Amino acid sequence: MVSIPFRPALAGFEPYGAPQLDVPVTLNVNENPYPPSPAMIADIAEAVAEAATNLNRYPDRDFLALREDLARYVAGEAGVALRPEQIWAANGSNEVMLHLLLAFAGPGRSVMSFAPTYSMYSEYARDTNSTWHELPRRADFSLDLDAIPADIAKIRPAVILLASPNNPTGTALREAELRTVLEAARGQGPEDAPGTDALVVVDEAYGEFRREGVPSAFELLSDYDNLAVSRTMSKAFGAAGLRLGYLGAARDVIDQLRIVRLPYHLSAITQAAARAALRHADSQLSQVAGLRRSRDSMVERLNSLGLATAPTDANFVMFGTFPDRHAIFAHLLRRGILIREVGPEGWLRVSVGTPEENDAFFSALEEAME
């Protein structure tokens, strides 16, 4: 038998991934339940066909036209004007996050976040050989703002990862909370870089679904050079299969990401398809408004069943609590409905689906609760 040098840090781990099962109703991975519009599909097809005529050439490695389009979109959706040089993009927000940790974390440096939160964060830290610190949230899933300054001063993280809205809870951060973390991060960067600020990364994968009056962290970029805000086209644009995530930050941050990215990491096909999709931002955001209403209706209906729900600004709802949540999950699965068994013990998470999918979910849930 040939022996090969596996990394000890990867021993015993399984690849990340939610179940992909062939069932009639899939409400487990927070996808947009609606496919792109016929107009958006036609626009993407035309743009990809044009890009294909030059596939013998490498794509624009700095994807300047796409960054201009993304800056224009952020200005319209979040009301914040950014220069294209302040925008980054990669193959999903997952790769954006990995770029951030490759550039700013690594051996001898720490990454911190607050549990429960997105399970991939710890894997980004593991894969970049960074030290991972996960601190608890309060019982209502908010941040313990009184403890955070001392925690940051003790850990001295290179990077602080915050999801807003948070996954799996749906909890959004208010401006005062964001400013508390950002101020506490000043001068508390890693010990091998004394006097620096910890980089605060706000992951807004579900940002477009936030309720009225809830700010985007993009609004704070002009006040803090140690802030980076990540988004994705997977959710609001109904383009999970496109794999396009992006980031807004100070140019100094973006320049570091350019160093660690792989050559030509965004294909010409991806760039063309993303730019075509962005041309349909208005219609997609109109659809998002309908999904927000459906989410709020789901919350009301779950509450009417005597269930607790975590306040959510995302396109999913975490609900519970159940003495045996797996029994509920398994019953729904037998009925052809896949949700997510994730988060604190006793809780389950369901994505917002079409009206028909939502009705099927509630029918099976009520049956399970009997």
Side-chain angles (χ1 to χ4, degrees):
M1 179 180 294
V2 177
S3 178
I4 55 178
F6 295 106
R7 270 183 65 190
L10 301 182
F13 282 96
E14 295 290 334
Y16 172 84
Q20 290 185 311
L21 304 178
D22 186 14
V23 296
V25 179
T26 55
L27 301 175
N28 67 322
V29 287
N30 308 332
E31 296 162 324
N32 188 318
Y34 299 106
S37 67
M40 182 169 156
I41 293 171
D43 202 352
I44 290 174
E46 182 178 352
V48 167
E50 182 178 348
T53 64
N54 289 304
L55 284 183
N56 58 313
R57 303 296 183 187
Y58 286 113
D60 177 358
R61 63 172 170 254
D62 288 320
F63 47 94
L64 294 175
L66 174 58
R67 289 159 82 180
E68 290 173 357
D69 290 350
L70 287 166
R72 191 175 302 112
Y73 171 73
V74 169
E77 198 282 327
V80 177
L82 299 178
R83 300 185 306 278
E85 295 82 6
Q86 293 179 269
I87 297 287
W88 188 243
N91 294 283
S93 56
N94 306 96
E95 189 178 43
V96 169
M97 292 288 180
L98 187 61
H99 284 169
L100 284 163
L101 266 62
L102 285 169
F104 294 97
R109 291 189 168 191
S110 294
V111 179
M112 69 180 289
S113 191
F114 302 88
T117 194
Y118 186 35
S119 61
M120 276 297 297
Y121 292 161
S122 62
E123 298 195 20
Y124 303 144
R126 177 202 68 196
D127 294 347
T128 57
N129 204 21
S130 309
T131 302
W132 173 245
H133 295 271
E134 190 172 79
L135 281 66
R137 290 172 177 257
R138 293 182 183 273
D140 64 355
F141 308 122
S142 65
L143 300 182
D144 187 348
L145 298 181
D146 293 333
I148 280 177
D151 289 334
I152 292 176
K154 178 181 179 181
I155 295 171
R156 299 289 299 273
V159 180
I160 301 169
L161 298 176
L162 299 173
S164 180
N166 185 44
N167 181 8
T169 65
T171 315
L173 295 171
R174 301 304 191 259
E175 180 179 338
E177 294 175 294
L178 288 169
R179 287 188 182 276
T180 295
V181 177
L182 286 158
E183 291 295 337
R186 289 191 187 278
Q188 299 299 330
E191 292 182 353
D192 65 357
T196 61
D197 301 340
L199 179 67
V200 179
V201 181
V202 180
D203 181 357
E204 290 192 346
Y206 306 94
E208 287 92 342
F209 296 95
R210 66 192 186 278
R211 287 172 286 186
E212 187 173 350
V214 176
S216 166
F218 275 113
E219 297 176 27
L220 301 183
L221 278 177
S222 61
D223 294 341
Y224 297 94
D225 289 338
N226 65 323
L227 171 63
V229 186
S230 173
R231 286 274 186 98
T232 180
M233 294 184 71
S234 294
K235 316 299 181 181
F237 277 85
L242 175 60
R243 306 305 298 131
L244 196 289
Y246 58 100
L247 176 88
R251 181 168 181 173
D252 287 346
V253 173
I254 303 301
D255 285 345
Q256 292 300 111
L257 304 186
R258 294 174 63 221
I259 293 173
V260 300
R261 59 97 185 272
L262 294 174
Y264 311 105
H265 70 290
L266 278 184
S267 75
I269 299 299
T270 298
Q271 293 182 42
R275 295 192 67 202
L278 285 164
R279 289 193 283 270
H280 298 265
D282 289 345
S283 62
Q284 290 305 119
L285 290 178
S286 176
Q287 184 187 84
V288 164
L291 290 169
R292 281 199 297 261
R293 290 191 293 270
S294 293
R295 173 201 64 204
D296 295 341
S297 295
M298 290 182 77
V299 169
E300 292 177 5
R301 194 165 174 182
L302 287 163
N303 293 158
S304 74
L305 296 175
L307 295 169
T309 54
T312 177
D313 282 270
N315 68 332
F316 57 82
V317 185
M318 195 174 78
F319 65 99
T321 57
F322 301 98
D324 184 357
R325 68 175 177 179
H326 183 70
I328 301 294
F329 171 85
H331 181 91
L332 267 63
L333 186 56
R334 288 194 294 271
R335 289 286 304 272
I337 297 157
L338 180 61
I339 62 170
R340 194 73 185 271
E341 194 173 3
V342 69
E345 190 61 37
W347 293 84
L348 293 166
R349 193 193 71 196
V350 60
S351 308
V352 177
T354 65
E356 295 77 16
E357 289 173 333
N358 296 340
D359 286 343
F361 160 72
F362 276 106
S363 177
L365 177 63
E366 290 173 16
E367 184 180 90
M369 290 176 63
E370 292 175 358

